[in-house]
Structures are given as C-alpha cells and as structure tokens.
C-alpha cells in the first residue's frame, strides 16, 4: 500500500477528532437498530468530530446471498458472486444515510468503487491494495458524514470485489489508516474483548486494553471479535482500534462526555501500563485429541 495509507500522523489530542465508526450485522439488523446507529453517529457529530461510518450487511443477509449463488450453481463465477454478495452493504449504507438525514445529520453513502477502495484481483477474497481518501476527506471537512459500504472494493478489472467473510472490519481499519483517523471504533454486540469466551467461562473478564500483537494472536486462534486481517492492518498502520457495544444507549451521559466508556482499546504495547503475563485464552471447537494407549513402539504400528 502506498504512502497515503501511512500511519496516522494526527494525535487526536485536540477537541475535534476524526473517527471511523464501524457497525456489524447485528448492529444494523433491522430498521430500529439502524436508527439506533444513527443516534450513535449523531452523538459524535454533535461532539464536533469528523465521522466516516463503515457498515456491514444486515445480520443474516450475506449468508442468504451466498446461499443463493450456491443454489443457482455450485461452481459459479467469482466475479458474479461478488456482484451478488456486495449488495448487502449497499442496502445498509443507503438506509443509514437516510436515517442520518432524517435526524438532521448531513450524510452521504459511498460504495467501494466510488471512493475508490482498490483491491487485488482475488475475487471473493480480495485484499485492499489502496484507498484514495482524498474525496472523503474533502466531504468530512465540509461536515458531511461518509457512510461507507464495508466488505467491498473495486478490482483491477474494474469490477466489484469483496474481501472475504467478516471483511467489513478490514474495510474499517483500512479506511481509518487512509483517512489518518484518530481512532477506529468497532461497534458490535459485545462490549469488548474478553480474556476468554464469556458464554463458556462466566468469570471471563473484559480487557480494557490489549496490544496489537496479542489481539492478533487471539484472533488467529479463534477469537471471533475481529477479522484477523483487520488486526494485522491495525498493527502495521498503528490504527488505535476500540471494540465497543452498539447496544449501549447512544445518549447515555457517560458516552456523551467520556472518551473511553466500556470497551477494549487495541493499541501499541507502549500505551498499556499494567502488563499481564497471559492476556487471554482463545479456543477452537473443531479440534480433538485422541490418545491410543498400549501401542507397540514399532514403526508402522501407529499408522495402521
Ligand atoms: N457482510 C459480510 C459478512 O457477513 C462482511 C461483514 O459483515 O464483515 O461476511
Ligand atoms: Mg464481523
């Protein structure tokens, strides 16, 4: 990736910050949830920040779109797969722009090709090659919110490309790098990154901060909060990434005034004061260990 994709040079210490706010599928699952997202965005706009929003498709939509491409032909063309599955995010970007306009927030939707978000040619699992942030920055500086369809870009063949499942996290972090944003807020259905899966271990604790390296390890080992590639990008470009819940009341006083309500900040190790020896435990459900005992210690026996 090129120079304009370089590590953010701004410090965010001033009153006004530039934020990327990303909302996943459960956060935009229906019209009420989209209106809730609009309130989260309005809160940041009212606080004086420049905001670019990245949205996923409504929960379940991408699965349905993928299923249709398989049903119509198991061996379908990857370019047409992308044409179909990229539509989920087009819908939510337009709906959120309407919801924002409806509450008096100046907003405009953007598809990947309009920015453009340039990808490589690996249709269906493309990687972002470059994002030209110039047009968006111009709009942000005019006070307009950019609502960007996640998960998609445009490939060298000038056709729509998608980034692989869960790719809107990567869209958000890459956009934050390109826009030199002060922070990338990932709004999801959990309030942060936990030491292990709280649904399995009730005593799991939320981490207030975790380093890029440790988050990368946890994501690679199966923690599902973020797509692995988004964490890689955050680490390479130094994008401070804050995982938080969209289910909090968007107008709660602590959210309006505080910088860091409940959530987990993924950041440089230097920003973490209290270092833990073990940050977390990720798990995988599709692996098993089988012990065979009393097997003669001779070549070929175990294999047989
Ligand atoms: N909608 C896409 C998916 O379900 C991208 C994303 O949500 O991150 O994989
Ligand atoms: Mg996701």
């Amino acid at each position: 990736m090129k120079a304009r994709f370089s590590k953010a040079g701004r410090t965010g210490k001033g009153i006004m910050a530039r934020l990327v706010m990303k909302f996943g599928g459960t956060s935009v699952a229906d019209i009420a949830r989209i209106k809730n997202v609009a309130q989260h965005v309005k809160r940041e706009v009212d606080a004086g920040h420049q905001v670019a929003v990245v949205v996923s498709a409504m929960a379940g939509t991408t699965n349905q779109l993928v299923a249709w491409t398989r049903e119509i032909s198991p061996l379908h063309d990857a370019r047409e797969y992308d044409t179909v599955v990229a539509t989920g995010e087009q819908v939510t970007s337009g709906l959120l722009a309407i919801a924002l306009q409806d509450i008096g927030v100046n907003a405009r939707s953007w598809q990947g090709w309009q920015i453009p978000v340039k990808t490589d040619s690996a249709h269906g699992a493309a990687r972002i090659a470059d994002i030209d942030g110039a047009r968006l920055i111009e709009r942000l500086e005019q006070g307009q919110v950019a609502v960007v369809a996640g998960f998609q870009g445009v490939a060298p063949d000038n056709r729509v490309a998608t980034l692989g499942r869960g790719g809107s996290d990567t869209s958000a972090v890459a956009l934050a790098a390109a826009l030199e944003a002060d922070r990338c807020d990932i709004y999801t259905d959990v309030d942060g990154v936990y030491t292990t899966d709280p649904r399995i271990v009730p005593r799991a604790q939320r981490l207030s901060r975790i380093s890029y390296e440790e988050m990368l390890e946890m994501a690679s080992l199966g923690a599902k909060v973020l797509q692995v590639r988004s964490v890689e990008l955050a680490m390479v470009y130094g994008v401070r990434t804050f995982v938080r819940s969209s289910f909090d009341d968007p107008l709660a006083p602590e959210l309006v005034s505080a910088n860091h309500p409940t959530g987990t900040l993924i950041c440089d190790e230097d920003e973490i004061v209290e270092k833990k020896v073990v940050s977390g435990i990720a798990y995988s459900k599709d692996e098993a260990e089988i012990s065979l005992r009393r097997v003669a210690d001779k070549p070929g026996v175990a294999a047989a």
Side-chain angles (χ1 to χ4, degrees):
M1 282 168 243
K2 294 183 208 135
R4 55 173 167 261
F5 225 89
S6 68
K7 186 177 153 87
R10 298 147 48 103
T11 58
K13 292 274 150 53
I15 312 157
M16 189 275 288
R18 184 175 291 162
L19 302 176
V20 169
M21 304 172 74
K22 184 259 170 178
F23 294 89
T26 50
S27 302
V28 293
D30 54 35
I31 297 304
R33 301 287 309 145
I34 292 174
K35 288 186 171 177
N36 170 73
V37 165
Q39 292 295 341
H40 278 287
V41 174
K42 182 175 192 299
R43 181 191 67 234
E44 302 299 346
V45 171
D46 289 348
H49 303 317
Q50 293 183 1
V51 179
V53 188
V54 173
V55 286
S56 291
M58 290 162 131
T61 295
T62 310
N63 286 347
Q64 176 64 74
L65 296 169
V66 170
W68 281 335
T69 63
R70 291 191 181 141
E71 195 183 318
I72 207 147
S73 166
L75 285 176
H76 48 259
D77 181 308
R79 287 169 178 76
E80 301 311 339
Y81 166 93
D82 279 345
T83 301
V84 175
V85 301
T87 58
E89 275 73 11
Q90 175 156 346
V91 170
T92 45
S93 63
L95 289 176
L96 180 57
I98 293 172
L100 285 165
Q101 291 170 359
D102 203 46
I103 55 172
V105 177
N106 180 7
R108 185 57 69 206
S109 68
W110 295 80
Q111 307 311 301
W113 60 268
Q114 289 173 306
I115 296 173
V117 174
K118 292 187 182 157
T119 72
D120 65 14
S121 55
H123 281 278
R127 279 176 172 268
I128 297 174
D130 188 42
I131 297 179
D132 185 346
R135 276 185 221 169
L136 287 193
I137 289 173
E138 207 175 287
R139 300 295 186 101
L140 297 183
E141 282 175 349
Q142 291 164 7
Q144 187 173 71
V145 172
V147 185
V148 175
F151 183 50
Q152 52 164 272
V154 58
D157 59 4
N158 205 29
R159 303 202 67 91
V160 173
T162 63
L163 308 179
R165 299 305 306 271
S168 55
D169 293 332
T170 299
S171 303
V173 173
L175 190 66
L179 298 177
E180 303 196 344
D182 298 284
R183 207 172 66 225
C184 180
D185 284 351
I186 306 273
Y187 285 80
T188 178
D189 50 8
V190 289
D191 64 352
V193 179
Y194 279 73
T195 47
T196 191
D197 191 335
R199 287 165 302 188
I200 297 178
V201 183
R203 279 168 58 222
Q205 285 174 4
R206 187 176 51 79
L207 297 158
S208 59
R209 292 181 177 217
I210 184 170
S211 70
Y212 297 121
E213 289 80 3
E214 282 166 332
M215 189 62 226
L216 187 57
E217 224 173 303
M218 291 205 26
S220 315
L221 291 172
K224 297 201 175 50
V225 240
L226 289 173
Q227 200 197 34
V228 177
R229 271 161 54 198
S230 69
V231 187
E232 284 170 3
L233 271 187
M235 183 165 86
V236 171
Y237 292 98
V239 176
R240 297 168 80 245
T241 303
F242 190 52
V243 178
R244 56 192 293 179
S245 174
S246 72
F247 286 77
D248 295 332
D249 171 8
L251 302 175
E254 64 275 17
L255 290 191
V256 174
S257 54
N259 233 344
H260 283 186
T262 343
T264 300
L265 182 69
I266 306 163
C267 58
D268 201 277
E269 214 175 26
D270 298 345
E271 273 196 70
I272 302 173
V273 187
E274 199 188 317
K275 299 203 163 83
K276 295 200 177 71
V277 181
V278 177
S279 291
I281 300 172
Y283 68 93
S284 153
K285 278 201 253 180
D286 29 349
E287 278 170 56
E289 182 183 294
I290 298 173
S291 305
L292 298 176
R293 312 182 67 172
R294 299 209 206 133
V295 177
D297 187 14
K298 270 195 290 184
V301 173

